[in-house]
Amino acid sequence: MWLVQRLPQAGSRIAWPKHLARWLPALPALLFLAVFFIVPVVEILQGGLYDGDGVLSVAQFARMTHSAVYVKVLASTFWIAFLTAALSVALGYPVAYLLARLSARSRERWLLWIVLPFWTSYLVKTYAWMLLLSKTGLLTIVATHLGLIDSASTLAPSLTGVLIGMAHAMLPLAVMTMLPIMRGINMQLVQAAQTLGADRATGFFTVFLPLSGAGAAAAGLLVFISSLGFFIVPALLGSPRESMVAQLVISSVLDLFDLRFAGALSTVLLLCSIVVFYVYDRVVGLSSLAGEAPERRAGSGGRMLPALIAIGRLAGKVSLSRGRERAEGAGGSFGLKAYTWVVVLALVLPIAFVVPLAFTKQSFVAFPPELFTMKWFVAFLESSVWQAALLRSLGVGLATAALALVLGFGASLALVRLPSRWRKPLFAMFIAPLIVPRIVVAVGLLYLFARWELAGTNAGLVIGHTVLAIPYVVVTLSASFKRFDWRLDDAAKMLGASALTRVRTVLLPLMAASLGSAFLFAFIVSFDDLTIAIFVSGGINTTLPKQMWDDIQLAVTPTLAAVATSLVFLMVFIVWLSSIFKRKSY
């Protein structure tokens, strides 16, 4: 009788380790993010909410509202972020629409040219726009000759220059966010509308546009929250009128040594990111970040649908008045391809513009350059300062990629094995550093590393960069795990292989290509980072982006062009290598 009563308890003890085993792969990543992401973010909240005596106070937040300067900076930040999001979605929507309609092979070729500018260093892209939009820049001269601006005006520094630089940086993100949602739309619905008598324009506005609205909203939200933390573009392409919150944070820490006010400013950005994060999940779902089409929610878009249908009917009438043949002809496809070519060229050419300047014989930057010399590359490679920065960035990048890959692999494996009710909160935890502005993470780590004596060390840089890289690894591997044939793992299990043996002999070999891509993405995130480096790298031994940042504010020199060109060539190689890994993963 006693044995019968004890059987359920014994059974529960046997089941518990199996349930726990599903969580084990994710525990290292969870602990890592809890210590180096959650704790620093919480400390930011405390730093902004408490005064020097440890008493709860809102004085730092009141300081923002009482000063007209801070109010203007806050308003400028949100306005620039909104305009950047609107421009990126508006310009990127036709590109994503075309890519969604192409075959997989053609789409990959187009994406290769879109991804390359996306992963190219922000500093390199901004440096290119400085050369193009400055008083003596090529585009400014052309605009002056065409009468678009007067001779006393300039495209940079100005709001126009900031928007051009930020839209150039964010447009690829908008395209890649909208594309999975558009690919998940059943085009037979559009064909059915055309069968019932609707022309292409009517079918697009009444069927495709409402269904893709979630993707456009998701892209806008992601670009908006990413733009809130920008400081490179407004600092180099804008005037003091275009200053943004991130610039105030950097100034408060590095110039004024006012960590509490920096914490209050970071808290504002953090709260905005949380709100946008929640809205993003409600609009399209977090799973879209892993390349999935959004789940259809009951009543989603109900208020917008009548307006979109009305717009579609109006567009249909206008199109009919111009002739059905024109609307349904091949010109629409040709027009989309021509527009996409223009967008791709606009993304690539500014970066390519830097390359010939690295080979100029002149000791200053001018266009057209007097070619041809390699002395600026020699100066870059022989400089002890640049050598130290390059070697440190390479070492930290490789260490970050390795650590992020190990943590991200376990996290992605757990996401596949855990019950569905746990996947969403766990996935949200892993990608949270992707949503929260980097400046917030950087200030939080500064709080933490100052106590742990990690500021200015390579270990601190690796930890900070790993926090930023984990979301990219998780997103990349989660998509691969969803395509993985788990029957192979089951077969190995039936033959007696242990869990570690199955991972080593089945999972890792079959996912080698995806692991390679994830490793490269993590390396790029670390190698390109400037925000963490500004707060953590230290003042003497710095990283390559930090050294570029210090030099670019002093003078625009051919040596900087040589450094930027070297980074472009490196990025081309990495993107090419990643494309090979991606082809092998299918």
Side-chain angles (χ1 to χ4, degrees), residues 21 489 533 555:
D489 183 75

Side-chain angles (χ1 to χ4, degrees), residues 32-33 399-401 403-404 407 461-471 526:
F32 183 88
L33 291 178
T400 297
L403 180 58
L407 297 175
L461 275 175
V462 171
I463 291 172
H465 290 173
T466 302
V467 171
L468 302 180
I470 284 177
S526 172

Side-chain angles (χ1 to χ4, degrees), residues 208-273:
F208 191 90
L209 183 60
L211 293 177
S212 63
L221 291 171
L222 274 184
V223 172
F224 178 81
I225 196 62
S226 300
S227 300
L228 287 178
F230 263 54
F231 68 91
I232 297 175
V233 176
L236 299 179
L237 295 179
S239 65
R241 289 176 297 180
E242 288 79 45
S243 296
M244 299 182 69
V245 171
Q247 293 169 263
L248 284 183
V249 174
I250 294 175
S251 177
S252 298
V253 175
L254 301 182
D255 299 333
L256 304 177
F257 305 102
D258 191 347
L259 291 178
R260 296 194 178 279
F261 187 57
L265 290 169
S266 300
T267 301
V268 173
L269 292 180
L270 176 62
L271 293 177
C272 291
S273 67

